[in-house]
Amino acid sequence: MIDHAGLLSPKIDVVALNEFRSTLRARYKQLQKLLPLGDTVAVLMAAYAIQQLGTELTVLEKAIAAIPEPSKQDAARDFLVLAQERLEQLRIARQKHSTGKLRAERAARISNTYGTVTTAALEKIYKDVETTFASYYRKINEDDENTFTAKLMPSIGRLAFDVDFYGRGHFPPGAYHSEGHQDGMGLCLYLALMNHLLGSNFTFAVLDDVLMSVDAGHRRQVCALLKERFPNTQFIFTTHDEIWLRHMKSEGLIKGRNFAHFRTWTVDLGPAEWDDRDVWAELDDHLAKNDVRAAAALLELCWNLGDEADQAALCGFNSMTSIPSWNLAPAMSFGN
């Protein structure tokens, strides 16, 4: 009633009552907190003298007594007012519920449609890549796996990739296939993905020693695959394997002298390409120092890496100098 005293007529001065209430509240809160103990002890030791509030309380009491009791009509009116407010709130809540339910149903339909379309699109991509991959792999292994198939299957959090093993079922590539077959699968899967993603725009690729574990027969089939299926794609191959380079030449994947040999490299200058003038000068330097061993090794390497014209020139040089043969592994080479 102290808070509503200003609504009474005439208005009642309740300043003293407010101060007394504030004092009691402060003491009550301190007793509830307990800490710090010094403040609690001060509250307990404080005098509890109550100021003279009799006049204010008497005036407030009379004002309260003068408020008329509500009649049945007033009570009914108040009830109807309250009921009307709650009815409006109920109507608003129902409308919001109906709108929210409609939106939820619409969102669910959109989500289901999106999921269905996305799943269908992804499954088509998987099927297209799967079919193309299997056809490429059958091409390079047509001698013993001409019925090869593969499966790309979406799973929880991943995409399962299983391949046929000679008609005995589908298993992960590493389960039964050799390292050479796995290398071939990797190349075929890459080509299938590029074919799907880029189509006719797949015009350039760099392949770095991707067939190290593949035998000679299957390497020739790889050359045939690239020539037949990707006639408009520029491939750059890097390899340390001279035999693979010869295969690419003999199969027509590399034409003429459309390749380069790297004879050495340094961290500062990078690779150094074979250059006939540099080779002959280096041979002369070795012979000038009477280092026949190094000259023979370099001559042997030139023979292994050169074409027929180079070898003919080297035969003449060798007959004049009588340098003994010396075996050396071929240097790194690449062809495009």
Side-chain angles (χ1 to χ4, degrees), residues 5-319:
L7 301 176
L8 298 174
S9 182
K11 292 183 179 180
I12 300 174
D13 184 7
V14 291
V15 175
L17 292 174
N18 272 325
E19 292 178 353
F20 179 66
R21 183 175 63 176
S22 298
T23 301
L24 290 180
R25 283 180 176 174
R27 292 181 178 182
Y28 173 74
K29 290 181 180 178
Q30 182 57 45
L31 292 174
Q32 266 195 326
K33 291 193 302 181
L34 185 61
L35 298 175
L37 292 177
D39 293 344
T40 302
V41 171
V43 169
L44 294 173
M45 297 296 293
Y48 282 89
I50 300 175
Q51 56 183 320
Q52 298 298 323
L53 299 175
T55 304
E56 287 80 357
L57 291 173
T58 300
V59 173
L60 183 60
E61 182 182 2
K62 289 179 179 181
I64 294 173
I67 298 175
E69 291 292 334
S71 64
K72 291 183 179 181
Q73 291 181 347
D74 293 336
R77 182 192 60 201
D78 293 341
F79 176 81
L80 291 175
V81 170
L82 181 60
Q84 181 66 28
E85 292 178 356
R86 293 183 178 179
L87 179 60
E88 293 296 331
Q89 293 175 357
L90 176 61
R91 289 173 176 171
I92 293 173
R94 282 182 175 176
Q95 185 177 6
K96 289 182 178 179
H97 176 266
S98 178
T99 303
K101 183 178 179 181
L102 180 62
R103 290 177 177 175
E105 292 174 352
R106 188 179 301 161
R109 288 196 300 271
I110 293 173
S111 177
N112 292 336
T113 302
Y114 175 80
T116 301
V117 173
T118 302
T119 300
L122 288 175
E123 288 178 349
K124 184 179 185 305
I125 292 174
Y126 300 152
K127 191 64 179 178
D128 291 346
V129 173
E130 167 191 305
T131 302
T132 306
F133 160 75
S135 69
Y136 291 169
Y137 186 80
R138 286 195 296 269
K139 174 63 180 178
I140 66 175
N141 294 275
E142 59 186 7
D143 56 335
D144 61 343
E145 289 190 86
N146 56 1
T147 60
F148 174 86
T149 58
K151 292 181 179 180
L152 283 172
M153 299 173 294
S155 183
I156 299 176
R158 68 187 185 93
L159 180 64
F161 179 45
D162 293 335
V163 295
D164 172 54
F165 183 70
Y166 295 95
R168 291 171 172 78
H170 289 80
F171 309 92
Y176 296 108
H177 282 87
S178 67
E179 183 178 352
H181 284 84
Q182 292 179 51
D183 284 352
M185 289 180 191
L187 176 60
C188 291
L189 183 58
Y190 166 75
L191 294 174
L193 289 170
M194 291 299 100
N195 179 69
H196 179 81
L197 294 173
L198 301 179
S200 59
N201 292 322
F202 179 44
T203 58
F204 182 81
V206 178
L207 303 177
D208 181 18
D209 259 341
V210 295
L211 300 177
M212 287 293 291
S213 301
V214 179
D215 59 74
H218 291 120
R219 288 183 179 185
R220 294 185 185 279
Q221 289 301 108
V222 169
C223 293
L225 170 68
L226 297 179
K227 287 170 59 180
E228 293 177 10
R229 303 294 180 90
F230 301 95
N232 299 319
T233 302
Q234 170 69 62
F235 289 98
I236 293 181
F237 299 88
T238 63
T239 183
H240 293 79
D241 190 344
E242 182 66 22
I243 296 177
W244 170 225
L245 176 61
R246 291 176 181 174
H247 283 165
M248 289 189 284
K249 289 181 181 179
S250 63
E251 294 298 320
L253 192 62
I254 296 177
K255 298 179 181 179
R257 297 186 62 86
N258 195 22
F259 63 92
H261 287 122
F262 296 132
R263 55 195 299 266
T264 185
W265 72 279
T266 64
V267 175
D268 296 328
L269 302 177
E273 187 177 352
W274 274 102
D275 188 303
D276 290 343
R277 290 169 299 179
D278 292 341
V279 172
W280 293 119
E282 192 169 339
L283 281 170
D284 290 338
D285 291 341
H286 288 317
L287 294 176
K289 298 176 182 177
N290 200 29
D291 190 351
V292 178
R293 183 187 181 94
L298 181 59
L299 186 63
E300 180 73 13
L301 187 57
C302 292
W303 175 270
N304 289 333
L305 298 180
D307 56 17
E308 294 181 357
D310 294 332
Q311 291 172 354
L314 288 172
C315 286
F317 180 84
N318 196 14
S319 63

